[in-house]
């Protein structure tokens, strides 16, 4: 392999590696967006559950079906989100070796170049080593990024379904609240009690 082709291959491997790192940064921002969506779902569910309307009609049954559906979808989205964070299956991102270790290996190649490898082939060996490192990291991180993206799509899908249930539930919720009879408070009138007391004065 000639020198120009080796350099192009090395540059391509480096670009692929850094592209996957940038893609990973974008995924981190998507994780924050999904976390905000799950927080919104949790807040709306708490709002509904803190002020439970009571109704024995089909509208009341519709209310509970929608609440239950939103909770189930929200829990499914939360499970996928935990997968994204690596709670169930640890993330497998590949990190390049430390620069110190790479330099050490290159120096080892340089030391053995006089005997095992001709000095003219030392550059080729170093470029091949770096190309393999970048290419392996790019390939592993690409697979991991795709796995995380697929999980995030599931989080977004189930979160949207949960939010649809919650927003649809606003109709029966406010209808039941607006048509509910005003509670009657019983007021008991108690006859005032006279308290008699004696003032005693002491004269010296």
């Amino acid at each position: 392999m000639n020198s120009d082709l080796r350099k192009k291959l090395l540059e391509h491997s480096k670009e692929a590696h850094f592209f996957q790192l940038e893609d990973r940064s974008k995924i981190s921002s998507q994780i924050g967006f999904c976390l905000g969506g799950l927080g919104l779902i949790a807040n709306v569910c708490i709002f509904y559950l803190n002020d439970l309307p009571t109704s024995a009609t089909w509208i009341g049954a519709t209310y509970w079906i929608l609440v239950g559906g939103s909770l189930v979808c929200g829990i499914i989205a939360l499970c996928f989100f935990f997968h994204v964070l690596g709670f169930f299956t640890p993330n497998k991102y590949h990190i390049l070796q430390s620069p110190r270790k790479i330099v050490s290996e290159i120096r080892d190649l340089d030391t053995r170049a006089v005997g095992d490898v001709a000095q003219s082939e030392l550059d080729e060996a170093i470029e091949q080593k770096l190309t393999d490192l970048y290419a392996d990291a790019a390939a592993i991180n690409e697979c991991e990024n795709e796995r995380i993206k697929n999980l995030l799509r599931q989080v977004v899908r189930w979160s949207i379904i949960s939010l649809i249930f919650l927003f649809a539930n606003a109709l029966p919720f406010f209808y039941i609240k607006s048509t509910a009879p005003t509670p009657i408070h019983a007021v008991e009138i108690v006859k005032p009690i006279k308290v008699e007391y004696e003032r005693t004065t002491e004269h010296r």
Side-chain angles (χ1 to χ4, degrees):
M1 187 182 296
N2 60 49
S3 176
D4 291 339
L5 187 57
R6 288 199 312 269
K7 289 179 179 178
K8 287 180 181 179
L9 187 59
L10 175 58
E11 287 301 318
H12 175 74
S13 300
K14 286 172 65 176
E15 288 176 4
H17 171 66
F18 289 119
F19 176 79
Q20 296 304 325
L21 291 182
E22 291 177 4
D23 203 20
R24 184 180 176 183
S25 300
K26 294 176 183 177
I27 289 174
S28 298
S29 63
Q30 293 174 10
I31 290 174
F33 174 78
C34 290
L35 183 61
L38 291 173
L40 175 62
I41 293 172
N43 286 330
V44 177
C45 285
I46 290 172
F47 169 76
Y48 282 144
L49 295 176
N50 277 344
D51 194 6
L52 300 177
T54 55
S55 175
T57 63
W58 64 271
I59 297 179
T62 303
Y63 167 82
W64 284 109
I65 290 172
L66 292 174
V67 168
S70 65
L71 285 174
V72 170
C73 294
I75 291 171
I76 294 174
L78 190 61
C79 290
F80 279 113
F81 188 74
F82 283 148
H83 271 291
V84 170
L85 298 180
F87 278 84
F88 303 117
T89 51
N91 296 331
K92 301 174 182 177
Y93 281 109
H94 183 73
I95 302 174
L96 286 177
Q97 299 175 3
S98 65
R100 184 176 299 176
K101 188 172 182 180
I102 296 175
V103 170
S104 174
E105 292 181 1
I106 291 175
R107 284 177 179 171
D108 183 55
L109 288 173
D110 192 16
T111 303
R112 294 185 290 109
V114 178
D116 300 335
V117 184
Q119 189 67 34
S120 60
E121 297 178 355
L122 177 61
D123 290 343
E124 181 180 355
I126 292 173
E127 287 177 356
Q128 185 62 45
K129 176 67 178 176
L130 293 175
T131 300
D132 291 342
L133 288 173
Y134 283 119
D136 290 343
I140 294 173
N141 291 341
E142 181 182 10
C143 294
E144 188 64 14
N145 283 339
E146 286 302 318
R147 187 183 73 86
I148 298 296
K149 285 178 183 178
N150 290 332
L151 290 172
L152 285 174
R153 289 189 194 102
Q154 294 296 329
V155 174
V156 172
R157 180 179 293 113
W158 288 103
S159 297
I160 290 174
I161 296 173
S162 179
L163 286 173
I164 290 173
F165 276 122
L166 290 174
F167 290 138
N169 201 29
L171 294 175
F173 176 82
F174 289 110
Y175 176 81
I176 295 171
K177 295 295 290 184
S178 61
T179 57
T182 306
I184 300 173
H185 300 282
V187 179
E188 183 179 356
I189 300 175
V190 181
K191 184 179 178 181
I193 301 172
K194 274 187 179 182
V195 179
E196 296 183 358
Y197 63 93
E198 294 181 358
R199 279 181 77 180
T200 58
T201 15
E202 293 181 3
H203 299 281
R204 294 187 180 177

